[in-house]
Amino acid sequence: MSMIERISGLLQEVEAFSASSKEQLEEYRIKWLSKKGEISVLFDDFKTVPGELKKEVGQKLNHLKTKAQDKINELKERFESRNEDTKGTLDLSLPGMPTLQNGTRHPLTLVKNEIIDIFARIGFTISDGNEIEDDWHNFSALNTPENHPARDMQDTFYVSLNPEMVLRTQTSSVQVHIMQSKKPPIRTISPGRVYRNEAISARAHCQFHQVEGLYIDEKVSFADLKQTLLYFAKEMFGTDTKIRLRPSYFPFTEPSAEMDISCTICKGSGCNVCKYTGWVEILGCGMVDPQVLINCGIDEKKYKGFAFGMGIERITMLKYQVKDLRLYFENDIRFLKQFTSA
Ligand code: DAH
């Protein structure tokens, strides 16, 4: 092969070359341009070229050397700038980018869990009930037979296919199931959703949440009820919280009471939450009516009990000052994001 052919063969190789890595580039630099590289060898062989061809071959050889040099430099630069670009942004030791934002617990869930924790500390277990309930568990067993005026206190959704079935209007229905299926001593709370046929407004909703409490044993007194509720109020709203019990009426308790706490907002000095009385009502309670014990198959001569029921929305309103009930059910992310769970 003549010098000219060798030079143009190598030139084609140089022009077509593209390195896929820095290492490959270095390999070709050595192959072409090092002291023993192909181009250097050509320069050595140049001595043997006859005088009349020296000019042409010399020019082609120089051209090849420049081309090879340029190619190597150009590719080298490309690799280096690529490294520069990625140096600042690519850190393989960084943890992965989260694609989903962490959510927060719903304020009603936060408060429900707090209530559960408080009662669990004094030995109350948790019981669950059904949201679709029969009339007997929701009303009759709780001393509220059909046509009893107390049914008017709670506007009821009936399940249309079966008029015997209702959406429970109160978690008191869970009491009945527990007393029917367990032997005293019973000490339990039942959180859950309840339904009432009410027009939706800032102060009323057709669905809300309650926590029911039930304690049945041989010597349970009204003093035990008061002490339990005082403990709850102090744990929930702070140790300086006071309680007061006002006589009231519920069909399933006798005597019955409603409990107020000293206003958490104004500390008793008067504000629009407590309507300037210094007190806010948070729950209903009383001693379980002996007839309810009989209805549920518990020996009313041997056992006594107390019960209480509170609305979770109301407790949440006092804790977080959310006054419009509708906000709890709209799931507006801007509202929910304000509550961070511990
Ligand atoms: N169930 C009642 C209501 O929804 C609340 C209640 C009052 C529950 C007194 C009780 C109780 O267990 O003893 O208004």
Side-chain angles (χ1 to χ4, degrees):
M1 203 193 292
S2 74
M3 267 298 263
I4 302 239
E5 281 167 345
R6 283 167 65 197
I7 292 170
S8 61
L10 203 51
L11 187 64
Q12 273 179 16
E13 187 183 312
V14 168
E15 279 171 346
F17 177 69
S18 171
S20 58
S21 67
K22 258 180 142 178
E23 290 69 32
Q24 197 191 12
L25 183 63
E26 179 61 7
E27 196 183 298
Y28 273 78
R29 191 193 61 77
I30 294 167
K31 180 173 181 267
W32 295 330
L33 295 164
S34 66
K35 267 194 183 159
K36 289 188 180 150
E38 288 172 25
I39 295 175
S40 311
V41 171
L42 280 172
F43 269 99
D44 286 344
D45 295 349
F46 182 68
K47 291 173 212 132
T48 63
V49 171
E52 69 274 17
L53 290 177
K54 267 209 158 60
K55 192 176 170 202
E56 190 195 346
V57 174
Q59 275 174 352
K60 285 195 187 307
L61 199 51
N62 279 328
H63 179 68
L64 170 67
K65 192 179 174 185
T66 322
K67 276 275 169 189
Q69 199 84 59
D70 287 353
K71 187 76 169 212
I72 298 280
N73 289 345
E74 177 202 320
L75 292 174
K76 205 170 159 190
E77 228 169 76
R78 218 186 283 171
F79 279 121
E80 273 163 10
S81 71
R82 214 183 281 171
N83 274 356
E84 276 303 308
D85 282 354
T86 52
K87 218 181 263 172
T89 53
L90 186 70
D91 179 352
L92 296 176
S93 66
L94 285 174
M97 296 280 277
T99 48
L100 291 174
Q101 279 189 359
N102 274 351
T104 54
R105 286 202 201 283
H106 194 281
L108 295 176
T109 307
L110 291 176
V111 171
K112 179 188 80 178
N113 289 346
E114 208 176 330
I115 297 172
I116 291 172
D117 282 352
I118 293 172
F119 282 104
R121 292 204 282 276
I122 50 170
F124 280 75
T125 59
I126 306 173
S127 317
D128 250 350
N130 299 327
E131 290 181 18
I132 297 179
E133 192 53 277
D134 59 59
D135 189 279
W136 192 76
H137 283 88
N138 194 79
F139 288 123
S140 304
L142 292 163
N143 269 353
T144 323
E146 227 188 312
N147 303 322
H148 191 289
R151 285 211 183 192
D152 296 344
M153 287 163 76
Q154 302 174 1
D155 284 325
T156 309
F157 282 120
Y158 287 87
V159 178
S160 60
L161 291 175
N162 183 349
E164 274 299 297
M165 301 299 282
V166 300
L167 293 185
R168 69 177 175 194
T169 60
Q170 51 186 351
T171 44
S172 303
S173 58
V174 189
Q175 279 189 28
V176 180
H177 286 284
I178 296 162
M179 287 192 270
Q180 283 183 306
S181 61
K182 292 214 166 69
K183 286 197 162 58
I186 294 167
R187 210 180 329 169
T188 191
I189 55 167
S190 322
R193 188 173 291 184
V194 299
Y195 302 87
R196 289 186 198 175
N197 191 358
E198 304 246 8
I200 297 172
S201 70
R203 308 176 124 257
H205 211 288
C206 59
Q207 55 176 335
F208 53 98
H209 298 80
Q210 291 186 330
V211 177
E212 188 77 13
L214 179 70
Y215 186 13
I216 311 273
D217 207 344
E218 283 184 25
K219 289 176 191 152
V220 180
S221 69
F222 201 90
D224 296 323
L225 170 62
K226 262 168 78 176
Q227 207 55 42
T228 304
L229 295 179
L230 177 62
Y231 157 79
F232 166 72
K234 284 176 181 287
E235 290 291 298
M236 190 76 202
F237 297 106
T239 45
D240 53 351
T241 308
K242 296 184 186 62
I243 63 165
R244 81 174 180 189
L245 286 135
R246 286 177 288 102
S248 186
Y249 170 77
F250 297 102
F252 35 87
T253 43
E254 183 58 39
S256 302
E258 278 173 315
M259 186 176 99
D260 301 339
I261 57 166
S262 48
C263 183
T264 52
I265 317 275
C266 66
K267 306 281 171 217
S269 62
C271 67
N272 65 354
V273 170
C274 64
K275 301 199 191 79
Y276 300 92
T277 63
W279 297 94
V280 277
E281 184 211 316
I282 63 159
L283 55 81
C285 60
M287 301 305 289
V288 180
D289 191 308
Q291 185 58 47
V292 173
L293 297 176
I294 295 168
N295 294 347
C296 301
I298 290 195
D299 182 349
E300 88 288 2
K301 293 198 180 68
K302 190 168 174 200
Y303 294 107
K304 286 177 176 213
F306 67 67
F308 56 87
M310 66 184 98
I312 302 182
E313 279 78 358
R314 186 149 183 83
I315 310 275
T316 310
M317 188 271 269
L318 291 171
K319 276 218 96 132
Y320 296 112
Q321 282 150 56
V322 177
K323 291 182 196 159
D324 190 329
L325 275 176
R326 292 168 294 197
L327 285 167
Y328 294 121
F329 299 103
E330 281 165 0
N331 282 338
D332 186 328
I333 210 93
R334 292 165 302 179
F335 171 70
L336 298 175
K337 257 171 46 185
Q338 297 172 61
F339 303 89
T340 47
S341 32

